[in-house]
Each structure stands twice: as C-alpha cells, then as structure tokens.
C-alpha cells in the first residue's frame, strides 16, 4: 500500500510540473510576425509538417494542432512526460507568435524555431 501511495504522489508531482499555456510566466516569445489572411491555412500546414520533422529517430515527441477562438495553436510536446516545449499561435487575422517553454531549456527546439522562421519567410505578409 505504501508503494502505491508513493507511486501515486510521484505521478501527481510530474503532472503538476508540466507547464501549459495558461502558465504565462513559464513561456517567452521566441519569434513573431504576420502572414496574409488567405495564407493562414498554408502557414498551419507548414508549421505542423516542420514541427513533425524537427525531432526524429529515437526521440518521442508529439505535435498537436488545436482550434482556438482567435485562430489556431500548433504545439510540440515530449511524448513520455507530456511537457509542452513550443507553442505557436496562428491568429485568424494573420498574426503569428512562437512561444517556448522554460522547461525546454534542456531540449533542442532549434527545429521548431527554424521551421517557424522558414514558414514566415515563405508566407510573410506583403507590405
């Protein structure tokens, strides 16, 4: 019974340690910009495809895309611990913002950063 209690408490602590986007003090803006409104779906595809290619081999990562009231969100999580590493907001008006979690400090997120930058260059709003 004691082992079960120890395991349960450990699992709860791990779950509590994983930040989410409501923990605003746990995230910082890495990059931002804007794309043409008609290019928003293409930007989403570009991010999702690029984020999926950012980690390969023996690593366990998951990319999730969700619909938000103001647009969309594309995020990369570590699969085993379910830590949110990077989160990109793609707003319906074309504004795009990439956030990185403080918990990503020991994990290479250069692939997501490069993807965001490359997608922005490809689909940037004309001035």
């Amino acid at each position: 019974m004691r082992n079960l209690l120890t395991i349960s408490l450990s699992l709860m602590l791990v779950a509590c340690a994983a930040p989410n986007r409501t923990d605003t003090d746990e995230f910082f803006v890495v990059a931002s910009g804007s794309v043409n409104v008609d290019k928003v779906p293409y930007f989403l595809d570009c991010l999702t495809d690029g984020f999926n290619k950012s980690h390969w081999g023996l690593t366990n990562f998951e990319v999730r895309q969700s619909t938000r009231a103001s647009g969309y969100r594309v995020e990369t999580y570590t699969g085993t611990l379910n830590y949110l590493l990077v989160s990109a907001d793609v707003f319906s008006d074309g504004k795009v913002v990439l956030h990185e979690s403080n918990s990503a400090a020991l994990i290479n997120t250069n692939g997501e950063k490069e993807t965001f930058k490359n997608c922005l260059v490809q689909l940037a709003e004309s001035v």
Side-chain angles (χ1 to χ4, degrees):
M1 181 69 172
R2 187 172 187 197
N3 287 339
L4 181 61
L5 181 60
T6 302
I7 291 170
S8 296
L9 287 174
S10 297
L11 290 173
M12 285 190 296
L13 288 174
V14 168
C16 292
N20 59 52
R21 282 294 302 281
T22 58
D23 301 322
T24 54
D25 57 330
E26 294 292 323
F27 291 86
F28 57 96
V29 174
V30 176
S32 63
S34 60
V35 298
N36 290 322
V37 174
D38 61 332
K39 300 292 184 190
V40 166
Y42 300 103
F43 190 83
L44 282 168
D45 287 348
C46 185
L47 282 184
T48 303
D49 294 344
F51 282 14
N52 274 312
K53 293 177 186 173
S54 294
H55 304 278
W56 54 275
L58 300 177
T59 57
N60 189 8
F61 291 86
E62 179 183 356
V63 176
R64 300 178 193 165
Q65 184 184 112
S66 58
T67 304
R68 310 284 298 169
S70 57
Y72 304 90
R73 186 170 283 165
V74 180
E75 299 174 313
T76 300
Y77 290 83
T78 58
T80 52
L81 297 176
N82 207 27
Y83 279 104
L84 176 56
L85 301 175
V86 295
S87 177
D89 286 320
V90 181
F91 297 98
S92 299
D93 65 0
K95 181 180 175 189
V96 295
V97 182
L98 180 64
H99 297 88
E100 185 174 53
S101 167
N102 289 335
S103 65
L106 300 175
I107 298 172
N108 185 349
T109 59
N110 289 336
E112 286 92 344
K113 293 175 195 173
E114 282 298 312
T115 293
F116 187 90
K117 183 175 90 175
N118 292 336
C119 293
L120 194 54
V121 166
Q122 289 174 28
L123 301 162
E125 186 172 43
S126 321
V127 185

